[in-house]
């Protein structure tokens, strides 16, 4: 029996164009033909000023919108060829999302929030859902918080729950939209250290940010300007978020001592 060959790239984008209102007198050229790829276990930060096309790109990568032209292959599959229904299934199996505002359901416990993607996917029994959700929560350092509701957790802990929820289906690609945007510096670095650890374990990540310090934690950054790729940077030695966190904690302690 032959096994299907694993695709060389998780994301493969060729000449991607997105125009809003193409048939109106004032079309908006949000993406003007961009191309890049993300290898398995890659970690790419997408940067750019407001209006440069980051959200448009993220929506296309997340299969939430379709390109006007060009190709997007996700985990070896050309998404343009899929029906809406197929795409919804494919998205649930292939992608995990993390947002700036966490987007947890407030009435549900951490475990129930993390179980949700497994419920949507269907075909997984209650005990197995529970086991997988607990494993995902343990993986992000929340083994002792299964029963907590979002209001009983700090912002950083809520983002960890959201990351566990994104991981529970073992997605080919984790998409993170400004995941540290609502967090203080120290907590933001903790979340970046977690994403770096997951990336070292093999999780492929695309992260949108406008903060250079956050982007420097990735292996590569893609800078958008006016819907085009303006610059690509590869970080030979990405910034080590854990080391940055420890440095930041020492500095904070020194500031507190100085303040008496
Ligand atoms: P960013 O996330 O970098 O701020 P966006 O992708 O949101 O950039 O926007 C890129 C361009 O596309 C902007 O000019 C924006 O006004 C426009 N745009 C985004 N979404 C829409 C839409 N749904 N309809 C019309 N224009 C849009």
């Amino acid at each position: 029996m032959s096994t299907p060959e694993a695709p060389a790239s998780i994301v493969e984008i060729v000449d991607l164009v997105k125009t809003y209102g193409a048939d109106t007198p004032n079309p908006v050229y949000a993406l003007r033909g961009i191309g890049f790829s993300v290898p398995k276990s890659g970690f790419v930060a997408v940067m750019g000023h407001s209006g440069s096309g980051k959200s448009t790109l993220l929506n296309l990568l997340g299969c939430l919108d379709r390109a006007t032209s060009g190709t997007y292959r996700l985990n070896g599959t050309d998404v343009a060829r899929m029906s809406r229904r197929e795409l919804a299934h494919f998205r649930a199996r292939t992608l995990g999302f993390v947002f700036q505002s966490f987007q947890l359901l407030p009435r549900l416990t951490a475990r129930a929030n993390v179980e949700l993607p497994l419920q949507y996917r269907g075909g997984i029994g209650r005990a197995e859902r529970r086991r997988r959700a607990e494993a995902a929560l343990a993986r992000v350092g929340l083994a002792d918080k299964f029963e907590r509701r979002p209001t009983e957790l700090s912002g950083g802990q809520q983002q960890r729950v959201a990351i566990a929820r994104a991981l529970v289906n073992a997605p080919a690609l984790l998409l993170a939209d400004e995941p540290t945007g609502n967090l203080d510096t120290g907590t933001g670095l903790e979340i970046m250290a977690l994403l770096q650890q997951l990336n070292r374990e093999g999780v492929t990540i695309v992260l949108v940010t406008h903060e250079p310090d956050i982007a420097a934690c990735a292996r590569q950054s893609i800078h958008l300007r006016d819907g085009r790729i303006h610059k690509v940077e590869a970080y030979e030695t990405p910034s080590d978020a854990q080391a940055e966190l420890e440095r930041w904690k020492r500095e904070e302690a020194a500031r507190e001592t100085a303040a008496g």
Side-chain angles (χ1 to χ4, degrees):
M1 212 171 81
S2 70
T3 47
E5 238 179 83
S9 299
I10 298 296
V11 169
E12 210 182 329
I13 281 181
V14 184
D15 207 11
L16 207 67
V17 171
K18 179 68 184 180
T19 310
Y20 294 107
D23 46 3
T24 67
N26 296 308
V28 178
Y29 302 101
L31 294 178
R32 297 168 185 254
I34 67 167
F36 66 90
S37 56
V38 184
K40 175 145 180 44
S41 307
F43 189 169
V44 171
V46 176
M47 299 195 73
H49 294 299
S50 183
S52 60
K54 301 184 301 295
S55 310
T56 300
L57 177 59
L58 199 66
N59 284 343
L60 295 178
L61 287 172
C63 304
L64 301 167
D65 200 0
R66 288 182 189 269
T68 305
S69 64
T71 311
Y72 171 28
R73 249 179 247 108
L74 173 56
N75 208 20
T77 301
D78 184 347
V79 301
R81 291 175 193 275
M82 278 189 259
S83 69
R84 262 171 180 271
R85 209 187 142 87
E86 286 170 334
L87 197 56
H89 279 285
F90 181 68
R91 192 168 58 221
R93 274 183 286 115
T94 314
L95 292 168
F97 292 90
V98 177
F99 307 95
Q100 178 173 353
S101 54
F102 323 136
Q103 305 213 4
L104 301 174
L105 293 185
R107 286 176 204 280
L108 298 184
T109 63
R111 181 172 49 216
N113 267 287
V114 176
E115 279 187 34
L116 278 180
L118 298 171
Q119 262 170 309
Y120 292 141
R121 186 175 170 164
I124 302 166
R126 197 158 162 256
E128 179 62 12
R129 284 204 305 267
R130 190 183 168 114
R131 192 192 66 73
R132 289 195 201 179
E134 290 182 356
L137 283 165
R139 195 175 176 193
V140 300
L142 294 178
D144 55 345
K145 303 279 189 289
F146 296 160
E147 303 298 338
R148 300 284 181 92
R149 289 188 167 71
T151 49
E152 299 164 330
L153 296 169
S154 68
Q157 289 169 338
Q158 290 183 56
Q159 194 59 300
R160 284 172 189 269
V161 175
I163 292 170
R165 179 182 59 188
L167 289 175
V168 77
N169 265 327
L173 177 64
L174 184 75
L175 289 172
D177 189 3
E178 302 268 10
T180 61
N182 274 3
L183 303 172
D184 63 68
T185 307
T187 312
L189 286 169
E190 280 178 24
I191 292 298
M192 288 314 295
L194 173 62
L195 291 178
Q196 283 188 321
Q197 179 201 320
L198 294 169
N199 176 246
R200 282 193 294 271
E201 291 168 12
V203 177
T204 309
I205 303 174
V206 173
L207 169 150
V208 169
T209 181
H210 59 261
E211 294 176 66
D213 291 356
I214 297 296
C217 296
R219 295 176 191 267
Q220 193 187 42
S221 69
I222 292 175
H223 297 247
L224 296 183
R225 185 185 280 180
D226 302 328
R228 291 196 178 89
I229 293 181
H230 160 64
K231 189 168 72 171
V232 176
E233 277 180 284
Y235 303 118
E236 290 278 311
T237 41
S239 170
D240 180 340
Q242 188 61 42
E244 287 296 316
L245 175 63
E246 275 146 32
R247 193 164 63 88
W248 179 82
K249 280 183 183 164
R250 282 196 301 275
E251 286 171 3
E252 279 292 285
R255 272 192 284 273
E256 274 179 30
T257 310

